[in-house]
Amino acid sequence: MIKSLSVLGCTGSIGTQTLDAARQLGLRVEALAAHSNIKLLEAQAREFKPRFVAVYEEEAARALKRALADTEIAVASGAGGLKDAAEHFGDCVVTALSGAVGLRPTLAAMRAGRRIALANKETLVCGGSLVMARAKETGTEIIPVDSEHSAIFQCLAAQGDRRCLKRIILTGSGGPFRGKVLAEMEGVTPKRAIRHPNWKMGAKISVDSATLMNKGLEFIEAMHLFGVSPEQIEVIIHPESIIHSMAVFDDGCVMAQLGVPDMKLPIRYALTYPERAESDVPAPDFAQLGKLHFFEPDLTNFPCLKLAMDCAKFGGTASAVMNAANEKAVAAFLSGETDFLSIYELAYEAVSKLSSPGQSSLEEIEEADFETRAFVRARIREERGREQFLIEN
Ligand code: NDP
Ligand code: MG
């Protein structure tokens, strides 16, 4: 079992739960990284005494450096600090930060031979081919933290031989708007969108769960992680979130991993793999549950899922463009600058205008990401200008 960690995104939902697990499992925390929440980061640094802390935002990094002046902890900032936290510390790097910014540090950690506990699905959505090629080249183990992928990973670990994997069935709860049609989702507020029925998560992934973009991102994540084609992945809506996903083998047998919907389970599995450690999470009470339900996903009223499936088939930079547009649009929705249904429209428009086919380098992916963010920003500004004009006239 691994002994030490570097936690990227330590102040977020997955990051704080990872530190809870580290405390319980007695794992040493060698590095911590966050964007700007230095209040929590200082408390975490004082408790876990890492050697290194990275704060992405420069001003916040300076403030934390002053606050930790009485300790031996080194504080760095920007993309360089984040990369250093991934490259030089911990047997295992937990990528619990949100967004495409996770790609470079993950590649750096792999080059340095560190195990990856991967929560940051955007890394594989944007640079899946590059990441999986580097994993092969360096012999890096990537242990998924995302519950669906952890489920498939556990099924494959139990089976022992990946070659007889025929298909993957990804389950999804359907999110807070399951059963609704587009017209009913017009005008939903951020507060309403992030109220997920089964999981408590960060704001961005909660909105992604409401649009089903999260399932789309997971579709692409699964394709890369398990080396399957889009045609080998099926998405099924399972509102109870008890079956976390399933693997179908060549002989027609299906293996599933079950558990209560609690991220503690996949986080602990990623940290203790290939072992399992005692935890206080109870197994599901099946008699109490009575029934489990399964439905086809509604691709008409949740077009983000269909868009992601199409991007997976198209290849090239399509997934990176979709992801960047989605990140920008979700941030704009959360800050009240655009509405819920515009998230899909902006992502669709960006994908159709900016995607290019073929194998892409890291630089090309980053360029597509940059260009897409500028495009979405301009589209939102244009739209707001138009609304303002209509109000005033
Ligand atoms: P949160 O929004 O709760 O936390 C995000 C974390 O990333 C924070 O620590 C934030 O720091 C940090 N961060 C953001 N940008 C940067 C940056 N540029 N440099 C360094 N740190 C940064 O997200 P979640 O924990 O919900 O999700 C994290 C990832 O895990 C996402 O990719 C998500 O899709 C995935 N995931 C999450 C699940 C969940 O249950 N939450 C389930 C499965 C996957 P700060 O606090 O300072 O802003
Ligand atoms: Mg998931």
Side-chain angles (χ1 to χ4, degrees):
M1 202 175 107
I2 53 147
K3 296 203 161 42
S4 63
L5 299 179
S6 169
V7 186
L8 314 182
C10 57
T11 50
S13 164
I14 297 289
T16 49
Q17 293 182 78
T18 299
L19 291 178
D20 289 344
R23 193 183 293 116
Q24 287 161 10
L25 296 165
L27 296 171
R28 207 168 60 250
V29 177
E30 291 195 342
L32 291 171
H35 180 267
S36 50
N37 181 357
I38 54 169
K39 197 163 171 238
L40 180 53
L41 198 44
E42 183 186 347
Q44 292 176 338
R46 290 196 181 278
E47 177 186 351
F48 290 95
K49 300 180 176 52
R51 289 193 284 147
F52 185 83
V53 172
V55 186
Y56 199 83
E57 214 267 312
E58 307 278 345
E59 185 53 44
R62 277 194 290 275
L64 185 65
K65 198 168 186 159
R66 285 193 297 274
L68 291 176
D70 62 318
T71 71
E72 304 277 285
I73 303 168
V75 180
S77 65
L82 183 58
K83 180 170 165 280
D84 285 345
E87 192 167 6
H88 303 299
F89 300 94
D91 299 337
C92 173
V93 176
V94 184
T95 68
L97 69 176
S98 55
V101 69
L103 177 57
R104 258 189 198 261
T106 306
L107 288 168
M110 294 168 88
R111 202 183 310 113
R114 298 180 198 286
R115 176 190 278 188
I116 307 291
L118 185 119
N120 179 263
K121 61 192 84 183
E122 295 91 339
T123 288
L124 286 181
V125 170
C126 298
S129 305
L130 295 178
V131 171
M132 296 319 289
R134 180 152 304 169
K136 203 167 170 195
E137 200 179 288
T138 54
T140 305
E141 285 181 299
I142 303 178
I143 321 294
V145 171
D146 214 349
S147 59
E148 297 76 2
H149 306 74
S150 174
I152 304 288
F153 187 92
Q154 291 183 51
C155 293
L156 293 176
Q159 161 61 25
D161 184 357
R162 284 179 176 218
R163 283 171 308 180
C164 46
L165 176 69
K166 190 174 187 176
R167 276 189 319 115
I168 283 172
I169 303 176
L170 274 187
T171 57
S173 68
F177 303 138
R178 181 174 56 84
K180 297 214 181 300
V181 296
L182 282 168
E184 291 174 284
M185 289 182 266
E186 218 167 317
V188 302
T189 60
K191 199 172 162 208
R192 178 73 191 87
I194 63 177
R195 210 185 310 139
H196 195 280
N198 300 352
W199 302 92
K200 201 175 169 315
M201 308 178 287
K204 192 259 176 186
I205 184 177
S206 297
V207 176
D208 288 348
S209 299
T211 58
L212 287 204
M213 179 59 95
N214 184 50
K215 213 42 62 185
L217 299 176
E218 291 180 353
F219 186 96
I220 303 168
E221 182 185 10
M223 180 179 85
H224 290 295
L225 205 46
F226 303 113
V228 294
S229 67
E231 292 72 24
Q232 286 174 286
I233 309 173
E234 181 189 345
V235 173
I236 192 135
I237 302 301
H238 164 45
E240 293 86 1
S241 299
I242 295 294
I243 297 184
H244 296 311
S245 277
M246 303 180 244
V248 183
F249 295 104
D250 284 339
D251 59 359
C253 286
V254 182
M255 275 172 90
Q257 185 263 334
L258 286 72
V260 293
D262 187 334
M263 285 306 294
K264 267 189 207 160
L265 291 172
I267 290 171
R268 288 175 76 96
Y269 182 80
L271 300 183
T272 60
Y273 171 81
E275 292 156 33
R276 290 182 189 269
E278 189 78 30
S279 94
D280 56 5
V281 180
D285 182 336
F286 289 99
Q288 178 79 25
L289 278 163
K291 283 180 186 164
L292 296 180
H293 298 85
F294 305 95
F295 307 99
E296 291 257 354
D298 176 355
L299 301 182
T300 309
N301 290 297
F302 294 90
C304 285
L305 174 56
K306 171 77 167 58
L307 179 65
M309 289 167 160
D310 290 342
C311 288
K313 288 179 193 146
F314 183 85
T317 57
S319 303
V321 168
M322 181 194 73
N323 177 70
N326 182 60
E327 277 189 38
K328 274 313 269 187
V330 170
F333 167 64
L334 286 169
S335 62
E337 289 169 276
T338 197
D339 55 78
F340 186 71
L341 296 184
S342 295
I343 298 172
Y344 166 72
E345 281 155 23
L346 288 163
Y348 176 81
E349 201 182 338
V351 167
S352 34
K353 289 206 165 104
L354 304 174
S355 305
S356 50
Q359 201 65 31
S360 322
S361 65
L362 178 58
E363 290 69 28
E364 284 164 342
I365 290 168
E366 287 181 335
E367 205 182 301
D369 178 282
F370 186 80
E371 189 190 10
T372 304
R373 285 168 200 262
F375 172 80
V376 172
R377 207 171 21 244
R379 290 289 291 111
I380 291 172
R381 218 179 289 133
E382 236 173 77
E383 188 55 32
R384 281 171 66 81
R386 208 175 61 85
E387 277 168 18
Q388 197 59 34
F389 178 82
L390 291 175
I391 292 168
E392 287 168 9
N393 297 281

